[in-house]
Amino acid sequence: MSYLITAGPTREPLDPVRYLSNRSSGKMGYALAAAAHTAGQDVILISGPTSLPAPGGVHLIKVTTAQEMHDAVHYHLPQAKAAIFSAAVADYRPAAAAPQKIKKHGETLTLTLERTPDILGSARASGYSGLLVGFAAETENLLANARGKLQRKGCDLIVANDVSGSETGFDTDENEITLVFANGEVRPLPRASKDALAEIIVGICAQLMVPSQP
Ligand code: CTP
C-alpha cells in the first residue's frame, strides 16, 4: 500500500502551440513526496508539468492534462492507503482543442471552456476508503471555503492556504497553511518552508491512520 500524491499544474491544450494553465510550481507536492519517502512510505507521485527533478526513491508518473491526471490517479488509487491531492488542476479546459494553430482574425476572441473532472471529488465516489487529503487555495473566506471542500469531497483533512499574498502560496519556497480536520479542529501552522510543512503534514497523516484504541 502506498501514498499517492498529485502535484503541479495541469495544461489544457487550446491548439498545437497554446494551452491554459496556472502558476503552480509543484514544490509543495514534490516536498510531500520526498517527506513521505523519508518516512519510509512507497510513494507514487502523479505530476503535471514542472521543472523540478524527481525526488529520489519516488515513483514519478508525468501527466499533462486534468483528464490524464484523473486516469492515472484512478489506476493507482486502489493500491493507496493515503492520497494527498496537492495539484492545482485546471477547473476548465477548451471545449475543443483546435487541430491547427488558431490564426488571429477579429479584435476579440471568445473561448468556450468546459469543466474538467474533479479528481479529488471523484476519489470517494470510486469507493476509495483510505486517508484523503485535499488542498484549498483561496483568496478569501479561507476557513469557510476549506470546510465546504472538506465536506463536499469527503476528505479527512484539508490543507488550506491563502494565496492572496505574494510571498506564500504559488511558486514560492515558503507557505503559511491552516489544517482543517474532519472532526472540526482547525490548526493554523506558523509560516515555514514547504519542506518543513511537508514533513508536518506527512506526520499528521500517519497519526490519522493509527486505529483509535477501543
Ligand atoms: N482538485 C482536483 N481536481 C479538480 C480540481 C481540484 O483534484 N478538477 C483538487 C485539488 O488538487 C485540491 C482540491 O481539489 O486538492 C481543491 O482545489 P480547488 O481548486 O481549490 O477547489 P475546487 O474544488 O476546484 O473549488 P473552487 O475552484 O470553487 O475553489
Side-chain angles (χ1 to χ4, degrees), residues 74-100:
H74 282 282
Y75 184 78
H76 291 283
L77 203 52
Q79 285 78 49
K81 62 179 173 187
I84 308 178
F85 289 75
S86 70
V89 183
D91 289 323
Y92 291 89
R93 65 186 167 211
Q100 305 299 335

Side-chain angles (χ1 to χ4, degrees), residues 6 85-87 89-91 116-120 134-138 149 152-153:
T6 71
F85 289 75
S86 70
V89 183
D91 289 323
T116 56
D118 181 351
I119 307 169
L120 172 58
F135 273 65
E138 308 291 347
K149 275 173 201 176
R152 272 200 314 279
K153 304 191 186 203

Side-chain angles (χ1 to χ4, degrees), residues 143 147 150-151 155-158 178-188:
L143 284 186
R147 285 197 188 101
L150 184 134
Q151 279 163 6
C155 296
D156 299 291
L157 170 65
I158 287 275
T178 298
L179 303 179
V180 179
F181 294 84
N183 68 2
E185 184 192 341
V186 172
R187 199 184 302 173

Side-chain angles (χ1 to χ4, degrees), residues 6-25:
T6 71
T10 64
R11 281 183 189 168
E12 309 302 328
L14 191 52
D15 71 14
V17 296
R18 303 182 178 99
Y19 54 79
L20 299 182
S21 192
N22 59 63
R23 290 173 48 205
S24 168
S25 64

Side-chain angles (χ1 to χ4, degrees), residues 4 8 26 61 69 82 85 90 93 96 110 133 136-137 144 162 164 176 188:
L4 184 157
I61 297 168
M69 186 173 281
F85 289 75
R93 65 186 167 211
T110 303
V133 180
D162 182 345
S164 60
E176 195 168 330

